[in-house]
Amino acid sequence: MNAWQLCEQTNTDPSISPSERAQEILDSICDQCEEGGDGALSPNDVSFSICIHSWCKSSRPDAAERAEQLLRRKEAFAEKHRAVQVKGSDYNPIIAKWKDDPERATLFFEEMLQRYGDTEPWTRPTAATLNALLDVYA
């Protein structure tokens, strides 16, 4: 997945989607985990974060939406699996990716505050989160 993410940084061919490839690997790992077979792989924070960051580097028009959908999937996994935790840093690149839609970025930020503002320190917004939102408006 990390290799595909690195490919996304330099991808100039819109017909190729390294982020799509990275997500296919993550989807396969998630499917194996949900099936619960012996020795099944299990996604963790890093695997989800790599794919989220990959989508946030993508130039595809649906990239922000895809990154947000992946965060939703991570949130669902976090409810069932201890190896997956939603962190404030998961929101930052998605907020920044909504640069063409400040209203959407603001709603996403407000949702983060409402959902995680009073919980564990690693889920709360940070200076980086606020900077991502300010960059959207800059």
Side-chain angles (χ1 to χ4, degrees), residues 45-80:
D45 291 336
V46 174
S47 55
F48 276 101
S49 293
I50 285 172
C51 288
I52 289 169
H53 282 85
S54 183
W55 279 114
C56 288
K57 292 174 184 166
S58 175
S59 61
R60 286 182 40 168
D62 65 339
E65 188 67 38
R66 297 288 298 265
E68 187 173 335
Q69 289 171 355
L70 197 50
L71 178 64
R72 303 294 180 216
R73 188 168 188 191
K74 183 176 184 178
E75 289 172 336
F77 252 85
E79 291 177 10
K80 299 176 193 173

Side-chain angles (χ1 to χ4, degrees), residues 3 5 11 13-15 25 34 37 42 55 65 70 80 89 94-95 100 104 124 128 138:
Q5 176 194 16
N11 183 30
D13 184 350
S15 67
I25 295 168
E34 289 174 341
S42 179
W55 279 114
E65 188 67 38
L70 197 50
K80 299 176 193 173
S89 60
I94 300 171
I95 290 170
D100 295 330
R104 183 69 190 110
R124 293 183 193 148

